[in-house]
Amino acid sequence: MKISSGEKVFQVFLIGFITLLCICMIYPFIHVLSISFSTSTEALRQGMHWYPREISLYAWDRVLADKNIWLALWNTVFRTVVGTFLTILFMSMAAYPLSKKYLPHRNFYMMFIVITMFFSGGLIPTYLLVKSLGFIDSRWSLIIPALISTYSLLILRNFFMSLPEELEDSAKIDGASELRILFTIVIPLSKPVLATLALWSAVGHWNAWFDALMYLQDQKLFVLQTFLRRLVITTEGDPLLPISTEFDTQETVKAAAIMFTALPILIVYPFIQKYFVKGTLVGSVKG
């Protein structure tokens, strides 16, 4: 098929725009990574930091030697793994019956579920609810309130509706219960969309900090993002930053802490990325 000159110009423009957009997104990451491996003098240098001209591991030594950041890492990993697992489990158990036309009052239930996408109780009622449940200063305050995402629930429901009904009918003839059909037939066939939703949930849990700021006072329960916020914004008296150092050394330590926080989720992403586009598309083809 011959491409017209107008289409060629558009393709060149599109490629150039996407390339520029990628550079704008990748450069801040490269900049922080470069500063984290730089000396204090190099960190103060004006201009673009594509690589460390003067290499120093001082900032990484301080970050990796700090016990609090490892404790925050454990809290974040616990929140991400447990929260993502429970989110996928409960969303699957909710989306499966909602995908069945024979569910009584299905449209009524869906109406109330969709309303939550546009209206919520607000910050103060949510805090009072979490407090009344006894979740203040508990890891569950970071997991239970974020257990179900309405948008993800709708995507999963639509995907379940696209699966052949004959598979479930044959399983019912063999005497399988609804739960067995869900866990042995439906979920194994839904790996692409479940992987996509798991990625969304995991990234959301990993990056969340505001709920930890509201519900947690015990520093032993702080997650990485809360620890990082305290380090970057309220550095005075922070044990990770030596009081006697100047601003430049503090900046290298902050950069190393930021990279330490971002790297784990970046390492996990490539293993799930292949399911991302496929899972999103197939979950939105049927309503």
Side-chain angles (χ1 to χ4, degrees):
M1 182 177 178
K2 188 176 181 181
I3 301 178
S4 64
S5 58
E7 291 176 332
K8 291 181 180 179
V9 172
F10 176 75
Q11 288 184 356
V12 171
F13 171 79
L14 186 61
I15 294 173
F17 174 76
I18 294 176
T19 302
L20 180 62
L21 186 63
C22 290
I23 293 174
C24 293
M25 293 180 178
I26 294 174
Y27 171 69
F29 178 84
I30 297 176
H31 176 81
V32 175
L33 180 63
S34 175
I35 289 180
S36 70
F37 284 104
S38 299
T39 61
S40 58
T41 304
E42 173 64 14
L44 286 178
R45 179 178 59 84
Q46 298 295 324
M48 304 179 74
H49 290 251
W50 291 103
Y51 61 93
R53 298 181 181 180
E54 300 175 8
I55 298 178
S56 173
L57 299 179
Y58 170 81
W60 282 96
D61 287 339
R62 290 203 62 86
V63 169
L64 298 178
D66 188 82
K67 296 181 180 179
N68 292 326
I69 200 170
W70 288 104
L71 181 60
L73 175 63
W74 158 247
N75 293 332
T76 303
V77 170
F78 177 88
R79 171 186 183 167
T80 302
V81 173
V82 176
T84 300
F85 172 78
L86 292 179
T87 292
I88 296 301
L89 175 63
F90 279 85
M91 282 203 305
S92 298
M93 297 180 66
Y96 179 70
L98 291 172
S99 66
K100 303 306 173 187
K101 296 180 180 179
Y102 54 79
L103 176 69
H105 312 296
R106 185 182 69 156
N107 293 334
F108 176 80
Y109 299 141
M110 286 304 305
M111 179 185 68
F112 276 91
I113 290 173
V114 172
I115 285 176
T116 63
M117 295 181 65
F118 306 99
F119 304 98
S120 65
L123 184 61
I124 295 177
T126 301
Y127 178 85
L128 294 176
L129 175 61
V130 172
K131 183 178 180 180
S132 65
L133 293 174
F135 289 156
I136 299 297
D137 253 352
S138 169
R139 289 190 178 94
W140 297 111
S141 65
L142 311 180
I143 297 175
I144 300 299
L147 201 59
I148 299 293
S149 166
T150 304
Y151 179 72
S152 299
L153 178 64
L154 294 178
I155 290 179
L156 189 58
R157 166 186 172 268
N158 292 344
F159 182 85
F160 286 168
M161 292 176 64
S162 68
L163 295 176
E165 296 181 359
E166 292 78 9
L167 294 174
E168 299 180 28
D169 293 338
S170 61
K172 290 178 181 178
I173 293 175
D174 293 334
S177 63
E178 295 287 355
L179 280 177
R180 185 172 182 180
I181 294 174
L182 173 63
F183 288 105
T184 61
I185 297 178
V186 176
I187 289 181
L189 292 174
S190 308
K191 289 181 180 179
V193 69
L194 290 177
T196 301
L197 299 182
L199 176 63
W200 289 352
S201 177
V203 172
H205 277 294
W206 190 272
N207 291 331
W209 62 274
F210 188 66
D211 51 357
L213 189 67
M214 286 196 304
Y215 304 137
L216 301 180
Q217 286 85 40
D218 187 356
Q219 295 187 9
K220 294 181 179 179
L221 298 177
F222 279 3
V223 294
L224 271 176
Q225 303 301 332
T226 308
F227 179 89
L228 186 63
R229 177 185 179 275
R230 186 188 67 175
L231 178 66
V232 173
I233 298 179
T234 59
T235 58
E236 184 177 354
D238 195 291
L240 187 57
L241 295 175
I243 299 176
S244 60
T245 59
E246 298 296 334
F247 172 80
D248 50 357
T249 304
Q250 292 184 359
E251 288 303 301
T252 60
V253 174
K254 291 177 185 178
I258 292 172
M259 293 307 306
F260 181 88
T261 303
L263 282 177
I265 199 67
L266 291 176
I267 293 173
V268 173
Y269 177 77
F271 297 98
I272 309 178
Q273 190 268 344
K274 62 181 179 180
Y275 298 107
F276 187 78
V277 176
K278 181 180 177 182
T280 305
L281 292 178
V282 297
S284 59
V285 295
K286 189 173 182 180

